[in-house]
Amino acid sequence: MRINVVSDVHGNAEALARAGDGADALICLGDLVLFLDYADHSRGIFPDLFGAENADRIVELRTARRFDEARAFGRSLWEALDVDRATAIEGAVRRQYAELFAAFPTPTYATYGNVDIPRLWPEYARPGTTVLDGDRVELDGLVFGFVGGGLSTPMRTPYEISDEEYAAKVEALGEVDVLCSHIPPDVPELTYDTVARRFERGSRALLDAIHRVRPRYALFGHVHQPLARRMRIGATECVNVGHFAATGRPWTLRW
């Protein structure tokens, strides 16, 4: 059995259409939407609306962790644009989702990332794409458990939830062989981004589940340039499956 796994697709529909090649199934761990490419500030919903120069500025503020200034700057841009913010963003996200969901091979098992909008997914998930969040699926004898979304941060991305709500989804999975999530367990080596030079939020509930359940694998993404891409915690191999938007390459699990 061969499963290809991707995360942090961020608009890369061209590579996504090939991500299942040679595999029995594809797993996607979220972040389909590209709001702003931190490597190329001309790409994404934000620069499409406000231009690359303004994207340069907001990336500068966020990278410096000046989040209040970044939010104030963003508000000023929206006021000058004089359009309804929610309507403009949703329209752009819908255009991306239409292309990205059409690229998913059959079968695909997918969960949400922190920049995704879960309420829109049922409109675009076609037959052959199964959306899981706090749910399990058995594939050729192995039980895969899925936990989508991220935890609350100053970035205030669309699908951030409380630690308690997230922990309840992890608990609901029970015994699994492969623990699949968008964010990593709360381990410094797995949560530190070496380019952004900051710790992203990892989940203590995921780490507790790894110690308690001892799955064979814990698979995740979210941190684009992690200090450690994989490490073993007890019996569990923890793997950051990679920044698919940049590499275009899935990570492969065989058994």
Side-chain angles (χ1 to χ4, degrees), residues 144-168:
F144 290 70
F146 291 78
V147 184
L151 298 172
S152 300
T153 72
M155 301 288 281
R156 299 180 185 176
T157 51
Y159 190 41
E160 294 182 358
I161 61 177
S162 69
D163 291 60
E164 294 76 17
E165 184 180 353
Y166 195 93

Side-chain angles (χ1 to χ4, degrees), residues 38 56-75 154-156 196-198:
Y38 277 59
D56 291 342
R57 177 58 177 161
I58 205 158
V59 168
E60 177 187 0
L61 291 171
R62 288 178 176 177
T63 302
R65 305 186 67 78
R66 293 156 60 184
F67 296 115
D68 289 340
E69 290 179 63
R71 281 191 287 272
F73 179 62
R75 282 195 300 270
M155 301 288 281
R156 299 180 185 176
R197 292 184 296 179
R198 65 169 181 260

Side-chain angles (χ1 to χ4, degrees), residues 8 10 31 38 193 200 221-226 229 240 242-243:
D8 300 271
H10 294 303
D31 271 11
Y38 277 59
D193 190 306
E200 302 290 351
H222 186 56
V223 183
H224 293 177
Q225 297 89 198
R229 294 201 173 274
N240 184 319
H243 181 202

Side-chain angles (χ1 to χ4, degrees), residues 50-208:
F50 303 116
E53 289 187 5
N54 286 322
D56 291 342
R57 177 58 177 161
I58 205 158
V59 168
E60 177 187 0
L61 291 171
R62 288 178 176 177
T63 302
R65 305 186 67 78
R66 293 156 60 184
F67 296 115
D68 289 340
E69 290 179 63
R71 281 191 287 272
F73 179 62
R75 282 195 300 270
S76 71
L77 293 175
W78 282 107
E79 289 167 1
L81 194 61
D82 194 29
V83 299
D84 180 71
R85 176 174 181 164
T87 301
I89 290 177
E90 182 169 317
V93 169
R94 285 181 176 277
R95 288 189 290 274
Q96 290 189 13
Y97 276 167
E99 184 178 15
L100 290 159
F101 276 91
F104 276 143
T106 297
T108 290
Y109 302 91
T111 197
Y112 316 112
N114 61 292
V115 303
D116 287 311
I117 303 178
R119 65 178 174 82
L120 298 181
W121 280 37
E123 298 182 41
Y124 296 95
R126 305 186 303 175
T129 297
T130 303
V131 179
L132 301 132
D133 186 18
D135 303 298
R136 300 149 44 110
V137 65
E138 184 176 339
L139 301 176
D140 199 34
L142 294 187
V143 176
F144 290 70
F146 291 78
V147 184
L151 298 172
S152 300
T153 72
M155 301 288 281
R156 299 180 185 176
T157 51
Y159 190 41
E160 294 182 358
I161 61 177
S162 69
D163 291 60
E164 294 76 17
E165 184 180 353
Y166 195 93
K169 292 195 296 184
V170 176
E171 181 69 23
L173 296 178
E175 300 285 330
V176 298
D177 299 299
V178 185
L179 180 57
C180 300
S181 59
H182 177 67
I183 63 174
D186 188 17
V187 177
E189 294 89 343
L190 301 176
T191 59
Y192 187 74
D193 190 306
T194 59
V195 174
R197 292 184 296 179
R198 65 169 181 260
F199 289 97
E200 302 290 351
R201 284 212 66 190
S203 167
R204 181 70 198 186
L206 288 173
L207 182 59
D208 290 345

